[in-house]
Amino acid sequence: MEKSRVVLIPCEEYEEEQIYRGLRDGLELLGGLSSLIRKDEKILLKPNLLKKAEVEKAVITHPVVVGAMIRILREAEYGDIVLADSCGTGTTSKVIAGTGMDEYLKKYSVPAIDYSKGIQVPYPQGTQAKSFVLPEELTRADCVISLCKMKTHALERITGAVKNSYGFVYGKNKAVGHTMYPSADSFARMLVDLNRCVHPRLYIMDGIVAMEGNGPGSGDPVPMKVMLMSRDPVALDTVFCHLIHLKPELVPTNYHGEKMGLGISRSSDLEVMLPDGKEISLEDMVEQYGKADFNVDRTVVRNNIWTRMARALNLFQKKPYIDNEKCISCGVCVNSCPVPGKAVRFRYGKGKPPVYDYKKCIRCFCCQEMCPRKAIQVK
C-alpha cells in the first residue's frame, strides 16, 4: 500500500514570505499544483471561520496563511477563485472583516462568498449520512481547498482537517446535524461521509499558533510553530495527534475515517516530509516539534457494563456548564442550541444566566463553541 504523505512545515511566526515559501515547497512535495488542479477549474477556498474573533485568539485560520495560498494560486495563473465558509455565527464577509483576510482578498481580487441557498445533495453510498444540504455556490466549485486550524474540540477531542468540512453544510442545517448525529461516533461518521461527498483536493492546517483547552472557540492560543499539508485529511489529523501526544485512535474522525476509507491513520503507513524533501520519523518529529503538555482531552473511554450503565442513567458524562461570573446573558448559547424546546434557556429571565436542562442536552457543545465570553466550560 502506498503511504499517505503529510508535509510538516516549521514556521516560527506569521511572517508572509516564510509561509509563502513553506506552502510552495510543500505543494511540490505533494505533486505540484498542476497535479491537483486544472487551470480551467473553479476553486473554492474553505478556511475555518467559526465566528467573529480577534486573529490572535486562534479561533479562525490566520489571514497570512490564506493570503499566501491565494498568492501561490495567482502566480500559477489560476483565475477562478472564491473564498467561503458556512460560519457558526455570521457570514463569511462579516467574520473576515477587519481581520486582514479581507485585505488579501481585495489585493488578489478573490471574492468572499456569503452562501445564499442550500440544496439537497444525495450521497447514497454514505455510511452514516445519505444526503447533505450544501450551499449552492459550493456545488458549483470544481476544486475545494480546505484551510483548517489546529484546535481542540469538546465533542471530537480535536478539530482539524476532517472536522473543518462541517462548514460545507449550509446554514442552520449544521444545528440539525447535531440532533441527527448526537454522539461523537455518529457525528464523526457523518463527517467522514461529508468529506467523501465534497472531496477536497488539498488540506492545509494552520498550527503556527494553535488552540488548546476549551476549544474550538473559547480555548487558549498556544504556539505550535508548524503548518501541515496533505491530500489525506485523516493522515494530517493523525500527525496533529502525534504532535500533541494524543493517541490518534482516541479521535473518532481518525478511527472511523480509516475504517470507512477516507484516509490512513496507522503510523506505519504515514510518511512525514520536511520542506527540504527529507523524510522525518514520527519519533523525531514529536521530539523536535511536539508539545507533551498540550491541553487536550486524553481520557480513555472504556466500554464495559459499568460505563454502559452510567450512560443509560446519564451519569459521569461530559456536560457543559456556565460560569455565572463570566456570563453576560447575551443568549448566544440559547440561540445556538439545536435541540427542539432548547436544552439551555432563560429560565429566570434574560437578565440572569441561562440554565441547562440536562435531560434534553445532547452534548453537542454548540453552546460552548459559540459563547463569546468563554463562559461555558465542559467537564
Side-chain angles (χ1 to χ4, degrees), residues 28-193:
E28 289 304 310
L29 291 170
L30 294 176
L33 274 177
S34 60
S35 71
L36 290 166
I37 317 167
R38 297 194 315 270
K39 291 291 177 64
D40 61 341
E41 289 188 298
K42 297 176 181 178
I43 302 170
L44 186 142
L45 301 176
K46 194 282 183 204
N48 185 317
L49 301 177
L50 175 66
K51 61 183 179 180
K52 185 76 174 177
E54 292 88 347
V55 172
E56 295 76 20
K57 291 185 177 179
V59 174
I60 66 172
T61 307
H62 200 284
V64 176
V65 175
V66 176
M69 187 62 208
I70 294 173
R71 175 183 168 187
I72 290 169
L73 290 167
R74 286 299 194 214
E75 288 179 352
E77 300 182 342
Y78 287 91
D80 197 341
I81 309 170
V82 300
L83 180 141
D85 189 16
S86 183
C87 311
T89 59
T91 62
T92 299
S93 58
K94 288 181 179 179
V95 171
I96 68 172
T99 63
M101 196 179 301
D102 48 345
E103 295 300 319
Y104 279 111
L105 297 186
K106 182 178 179 181
K107 178 180 179 179
Y108 294 109
S109 300
V110 173
I113 301 297
D114 292 337
Y115 290 140
S116 59
K117 181 182 178 182
I119 61 174
Q120 194 82 31
V121 177
Y123 190 64
Q125 61 269 49
T127 299
Q128 185 74 58
K130 301 297 183 182
S131 68
F132 296 98
V133 179
L134 303 180
E136 185 179 35
E137 296 88 348
L138 171 66
T139 63
R140 293 201 291 263
D142 301 306
C143 169
V144 174
I145 297 175
S146 176
L147 299 162
C148 57
K149 186 73 176 176
M150 184 182 283
K151 299 191 289 183
T152 50
H153 194 269
L155 183 64
E156 301 293 333
R157 299 181 192 254
I158 65 165
T159 173
V162 177
K163 174 64 175 61
N164 191 48
S165 293
Y166 202 44
F168 294 139
V169 175
Y170 180 72
K172 292 184 177 180
N173 293 280
K174 292 191 296 181
V176 175
H178 280 290
T179 62
M180 293 175 65
Y181 315 108
S183 72
D185 287 301
S186 63
F187 195 74
R189 288 191 293 267
M190 177 276 297
L191 288 171
V192 173
D193 283 333

Side-chain angles (χ1 to χ4, degrees), residues 264-284:
I264 297 298
S265 186
R266 293 184 301 276
S267 298
S268 58
D269 292 327
L270 297 178
E271 180 183 54
V272 182
M273 306 293 292
L274 296 175
D276 60 7
K278 294 180 180 178
E279 184 175 357
I280 183 171
S281 68
L282 286 174
E283 293 76 16
D284 288 344

